[in-house]
Short mmCIF file of all heavy atoms in Angstrom, two decimals:
data_model
loop_
_atom_site.label_atom_id
_atom_site.label_comp_id
_atom_site.label_asym_id
_atom_site.label_seq_id
_atom_site.Cartn_x
_atom_site.Cartn_y
_atom_site.Cartn_z
N LEU A 185 -9.42 99.52 100.84
CA LEU A 185 -8.10 98.98 101.16
C LEU A 185 -6.99 99.94 100.74
O LEU A 185 -6.96 100.44 99.62
CB LEU A 185 -7.92 97.64 100.44
CG LEU A 185 -6.59 96.90 100.65
CD1 LEU A 185 -6.43 96.49 102.10
CD2 LEU A 185 -6.52 95.68 99.73
N THR A 186 -6.06 100.19 101.67
CA THR A 186 -4.85 100.95 101.37
C THR A 186 -3.65 100.13 101.82
O THR A 186 -3.76 99.26 102.68
CB THR A 186 -4.83 102.32 102.08
OG1 THR A 186 -4.93 102.12 103.50
CG2 THR A 186 -5.99 103.19 101.61
N GLY A 187 -2.49 100.44 101.26
CA GLY A 187 -1.29 99.67 101.57
C GLY A 187 -1.12 98.54 100.58
O GLY A 187 -1.53 98.63 99.43
N LYS A 188 -0.52 97.45 101.02
CA LYS A 188 -0.20 96.32 100.16
C LYS A 188 -1.40 95.39 100.00
O LYS A 188 -2.27 95.32 100.86
CB LYS A 188 0.97 95.53 100.75
CG LYS A 188 2.28 96.27 100.79
CD LYS A 188 3.29 95.55 101.69
CE LYS A 188 3.47 94.10 101.34
NZ LYS A 188 4.45 93.41 102.22
N ASP A 189 -1.41 94.67 98.89
CA ASP A 189 -2.36 93.57 98.68
C ASP A 189 -1.53 92.29 98.61
O ASP A 189 -0.59 92.20 97.81
CB ASP A 189 -3.14 93.79 97.39
CG ASP A 189 -4.33 92.83 97.26
OD1 ASP A 189 -4.65 92.16 98.25
OD2 ASP A 189 -4.93 92.78 96.17
N PHE A 190 -1.82 91.33 99.44
CA PHE A 190 -0.99 90.14 99.54
C PHE A 190 -1.85 88.96 99.96
O PHE A 190 -3.01 89.11 100.37
CB PHE A 190 0.14 90.36 100.56
CG PHE A 190 -0.32 90.96 101.86
CD1 PHE A 190 -0.78 90.17 102.90
CD2 PHE A 190 -0.30 92.34 102.04
CE1 PHE A 190 -1.21 90.72 104.09
CE2 PHE A 190 -0.72 92.91 103.24
CZ PHE A 190 -1.18 92.10 104.26
N SER A 191 -1.29 87.77 99.90
CA SER A 191 -1.98 86.57 100.35
C SER A 191 -2.22 86.66 101.85
O SER A 191 -1.36 87.13 102.61
CB SER A 191 -1.14 85.33 100.04
OG SER A 191 -1.59 84.22 100.77
N VAL A 192 -3.40 86.21 102.31
CA VAL A 192 -3.69 86.24 103.75
C VAL A 192 -2.99 85.11 104.49
O VAL A 192 -3.07 85.04 105.72
CB VAL A 192 -5.20 86.21 104.02
CG1 VAL A 192 -5.88 87.40 103.39
CG2 VAL A 192 -5.83 84.91 103.56
N GLU A 193 -2.30 84.23 103.78
CA GLU A 193 -1.54 83.18 104.44
C GLU A 193 -0.48 83.79 105.34
O GLU A 193 0.20 84.74 104.96
CB GLU A 193 -0.88 82.28 103.40
CG GLU A 193 -0.20 81.05 103.97
CD GLU A 193 0.25 80.11 102.87
OE1 GLU A 193 -0.56 79.25 102.46
OE2 GLU A 193 1.39 80.25 102.42
N THR A 194 -0.33 83.27 106.56
CA THR A 194 0.58 83.78 107.59
C THR A 194 0.43 85.29 107.75
O THR A 194 1.33 86.06 107.47
CB THR A 194 2.06 83.41 107.30
OG1 THR A 194 2.48 83.99 106.07
CG2 THR A 194 2.24 81.90 107.26
N SER A 195 -0.75 85.70 108.22
CA SER A 195 -1.02 87.12 108.44
C SER A 195 -1.78 87.30 109.75
O SER A 195 -2.44 86.39 110.25
CB SER A 195 -1.83 87.71 107.28
OG SER A 195 -3.07 87.04 107.14
N ALA A 196 -1.66 88.52 110.30
CA ALA A 196 -2.33 88.88 111.54
C ALA A 196 -3.25 90.06 111.28
O ALA A 196 -2.86 91.03 110.63
CB ALA A 196 -1.32 89.23 112.63
N PHE A 197 -4.49 89.97 111.79
CA PHE A 197 -5.49 91.02 111.63
C PHE A 197 -5.77 91.66 112.98
O PHE A 197 -5.85 90.98 114.01
CB PHE A 197 -6.81 90.45 111.10
CG PHE A 197 -6.79 90.02 109.66
CD1 PHE A 197 -6.05 88.91 109.26
CD2 PHE A 197 -7.52 90.71 108.69
CE1 PHE A 197 -6.05 88.49 107.94
CE2 PHE A 197 -7.53 90.31 107.38
CZ PHE A 197 -6.79 89.20 106.99
N LEU A 198 -5.99 92.98 112.96
CA LEU A 198 -6.41 93.70 114.15
C LEU A 198 -7.61 94.56 113.79
O LEU A 198 -7.52 95.44 112.93
CB LEU A 198 -5.29 94.59 114.69
CG LEU A 198 -5.65 95.51 115.86
CD1 LEU A 198 -6.05 94.68 117.09
CD2 LEU A 198 -4.49 96.45 116.19
N PHE A 199 -8.76 94.30 114.43
CA PHE A 199 -9.98 95.09 114.25
C PHE A 199 -10.19 95.94 115.51
O PHE A 199 -10.16 95.41 116.63
CB PHE A 199 -11.19 94.19 114.04
CG PHE A 199 -11.09 93.27 112.86
CD1 PHE A 199 -10.66 91.95 113.03
CD2 PHE A 199 -11.41 93.71 111.59
CE1 PHE A 199 -10.56 91.09 111.94
CE2 PHE A 199 -11.31 92.86 110.50
CZ PHE A 199 -10.89 91.55 110.67
N THR A 200 -10.40 97.24 115.33
CA THR A 200 -10.62 98.13 116.46
C THR A 200 -11.77 99.08 116.15
O THR A 200 -11.96 99.48 115.00
CB THR A 200 -9.37 98.98 116.78
OG1 THR A 200 -9.00 99.74 115.62
CG2 THR A 200 -8.20 98.11 117.21
N GLY A 201 -12.55 99.43 117.17
CA GLY A 201 -13.65 100.37 116.97
C GLY A 201 -14.61 100.32 118.13
O GLY A 201 -14.25 99.95 119.25
N MET A 202 -15.86 100.68 117.85
CA MET A 202 -16.91 100.72 118.87
C MET A 202 -18.04 99.79 118.46
O MET A 202 -18.31 99.59 117.27
CB MET A 202 -17.45 102.14 119.02
CG MET A 202 -16.41 103.21 119.28
SD MET A 202 -15.66 103.09 120.92
CE MET A 202 -17.05 103.58 121.96
N ILE A 203 -18.69 99.23 119.49
CA ILE A 203 -19.89 98.43 119.24
C ILE A 203 -20.96 98.87 120.23
O ILE A 203 -20.66 99.16 121.40
CB ILE A 203 -19.60 96.92 119.37
CG1 ILE A 203 -20.83 96.10 118.97
CG2 ILE A 203 -19.10 96.55 120.77
CD1 ILE A 203 -20.55 94.62 118.77
N ASN A 204 -22.18 98.96 119.76
CA ASN A 204 -23.30 99.36 120.61
C ASN A 204 -24.02 98.11 121.10
O ASN A 204 -24.57 97.35 120.30
CB ASN A 204 -24.25 100.26 119.82
CG ASN A 204 -25.16 101.06 120.72
OD1 ASN A 204 -24.75 101.46 121.81
ND2 ASN A 204 -26.38 101.29 120.29
N LEU A 205 -24.00 97.89 122.42
CA LEU A 205 -24.56 96.67 123.00
C LEU A 205 -25.86 96.96 123.73
O LEU A 205 -26.03 98.02 124.32
CB LEU A 205 -23.57 96.06 123.98
CG LEU A 205 -22.22 95.59 123.43
CD1 LEU A 205 -21.36 95.07 124.57
CD2 LEU A 205 -22.40 94.53 122.36
N SER A 206 -26.75 95.99 123.73
CA SER A 206 -27.95 96.08 124.55
C SER A 206 -27.59 95.76 125.99
O SER A 206 -26.59 95.08 126.27
CB SER A 206 -29.02 95.12 124.04
OG SER A 206 -28.51 93.81 123.98
N ALA A 207 -28.39 96.27 126.93
CA ALA A 207 -28.12 96.06 128.35
C ALA A 207 -28.32 94.59 128.72
O ALA A 207 -29.05 93.86 128.06
CB ALA A 207 -29.04 96.95 129.18
#
Side-chain angles (χ1 to χ4, degrees):
L185 180 64
T186 59
K188 295 166 53 180
D189 191 11
F190 48 87
S191 164
V192 300
E193 187 171 272
T194 62
S195 60
F197 289 69
L198 174 63
F199 301 96
T200 58
M202 306 291 290
I203 186 167
N204 198 34
L205 297 177
S206 55

